[in-house]
Amino acid sequence: MNSAEPASLVLGFPDCREPAQRLADAAGLDYADVDIHQFPDGESLVRLPEELPARVILYCSLDRPNTKLVELELAAGAAPGLGAEGLTLVAPYLCYMRQDTAFLPGQAVSQRIIGELLARRFDTLITVDPHLHRTHKLEDAVPVRRAIALSAASAMADSLSSREDSPLLIGPDAESEQWVGAIAGAAGLDYGVARKERLGDREVRIALPALDLAGRHVVLIDDVISTGQTLVETAGQVAARGAASISVLVTHALFVGDAEQRLGEAGVTDIVSTDSVPHTSNRIQLAGLLAAALKATPGV
Ligand code: R5P
């Protein structure tokens, strides 16, 4: 940000208030809440400050996205009438990235459709470790003027630095190699990647890599835990091979239903996540990473 430009304002959605305030503090920006009233019929009433500066940063992580996308659309639609001339979306977790193709005829390609929706309102998007697989670049998924995909790998690697047991890192599928490889590289640890076959929303088959796990301290690494089934299956097999301990390090802690409990039953004794999605396992704060990206982006 140029010192001659008026300061931007960070607006935080209700369930992201604390990380949004941390971002504003780290970036040296003012902060205000987005107020949301839920009507009994499920509709939302969104209220912003009466006057906005020219640049506004909306902080809204897009876990459990269907209601949030409507509320974000209402906020972003209202902001220009209150003085905003340019909108940045900080969405540490970006939804609908996994449906990046039509796997069956007639399926909506959600990634592209949601990306186009966001690009109609926002000129800048900042997110963390978006699930890019067949689409390689964030701007191809979300065609905004500036699409910035940050990596939490370095912060996640730092969270392993106090461990003296040289853990072995394991990613559950080919898609996870980009994250587990980066974290292992930054932490100077060994890693392996399993193969996954998805049979349904809550059913996966995992084939572990040919590594000797007996007596090893294993950290399972993934970008997203949703139902938890991917890592429940992986943990079960790692335990069966005689690992000394199993823990989990994840970027986006969605944790649907009893995912956390089932991970415990599968032998996982510790779960660490970033605060991209508010959850009790959050131990890695992303405010510094996000603030550095804001400061490095001209005019934001
Ligand atoms: C998929 O490729 C992702 O990287 C995760 O492995 C997946 O979303 C985890 O889902 P679940 O926790 O429901 O198995």
Side-chain angles (χ1 to χ4, degrees):
M1 187 171 46
N2 183 314
S3 59
E5 293 169 2
S8 310
L9 174 69
V10 177
L11 292 177
F13 278 68
D15 74 332
C16 304
R17 187 168 287 143
E18 289 174 16
Q21 285 174 333
R22 284 198 289 271
L23 170 61
D25 286 348
L29 299 174
D30 287 339
Y31 171 84
D33 288 333
V34 174
D35 284 325
I36 297 186
H37 172 74
Q38 293 283 343
F39 289 111
D41 62 2
E43 291 185 2
S44 303
L45 176 61
V46 170
R47 188 172 183 207
L48 305 181
E50 286 171 38
E51 283 181 34
L52 295 174
R55 286 295 318 180
V56 170
I57 297 156
L58 285 162
Y59 186 114
C60 184
S61 208
L62 289 169
D63 53 299
R64 294 153 182 93
N66 292 359
T67 301
K68 284 187 175 185
L69 281 169
V70 172
E71 292 168 349
L72 184 63
E73 178 72 6
L74 292 171
L82 302 169
E85 292 168 12
L87 294 180
T88 296
L89 172 61
V90 175
Y93 174 66
L94 190 58
C95 59
Y96 282 111
M97 286 294 107
R98 284 166 286 178
Q99 180 77 21
D100 58 5
T101 189
F103 297 96
L104 293 172
Q107 283 184 345
V109 181
S110 313
Q111 184 190 79
R112 181 171 46 74
I113 295 166
I114 297 298
E116 286 168 358
L117 176 79
L118 296 175
R120 280 201 278 274
R121 299 284 187 195
F122 295 93
D123 59 46
T124 305
L125 166 68
I126 299 176
T127 189
V128 179
D129 292 329
H131 191 97
L132 297 174
H133 181 41
R134 280 161 284 260
T135 308
H136 299 294
K137 291 190 194 147
L138 181 60
E139 56 266 38
D140 293 337
V142 187
V144 287
R145 186 152 59 89
R146 291 172 294 211
I148 300 168
L150 303 174
S151 169
S154 161
M156 292 169 81
D158 286 350
S159 77
L160 297 169
S161 63
S162 60
R163 291 187 60 151
E164 291 171 357
D165 51 5
S166 295
L168 174 67
L169 312 186
I170 291 190
D173 53 27
E175 287 153 86
S176 71
E177 178 148 21
Q178 58 187 302
W179 299 292
V180 69
I183 294 167
L189 296 168
D190 293 334
Y191 77 96
V193 175
R195 275 183 290 116
K196 176 168 84 178
E197 191 185 349
R198 185 167 282 286
L199 308 172
D201 287 346
R202 293 168 191 271
E203 205 183 343
V204 297
R205 204 176 280 147
I206 297 286
L208 288 181
L211 292 169
D212 181 7
L213 304 182
R216 295 295 306 263
H217 295 276
V218 172
V219 181
L220 306 180
I221 295 194
D222 209 355
D223 62 330
V224 177
I225 292 179
S226 177
T227 68
Q229 196 54 33
T230 296
L231 293 190
V232 165
E233 274 296 319
T234 312
Q237 293 190 30
V238 168
R241 290 220 200 150
S245 73
I246 309 171
S247 51
V248 163
L249 180 58
V250 63
T251 316
H252 307 297
L254 301 185
F255 285 99
V256 174
D258 60 356
E260 200 171 353
Q261 185 191 326
R262 287 186 301 106
L263 282 165
E265 290 163 2
V268 172
T269 52
D270 191 35
I271 301 174
V272 174
S273 63
T274 79
D275 63 356
S276 73
V277 176
H279 186 258
T280 51
S281 61
N282 292 170
R283 269 190 252 159
I284 300 168
Q285 295 188 352
L286 297 175
L289 180 72
L290 295 167
L294 282 178
K295 286 180 185 162
T297 308
V300 168

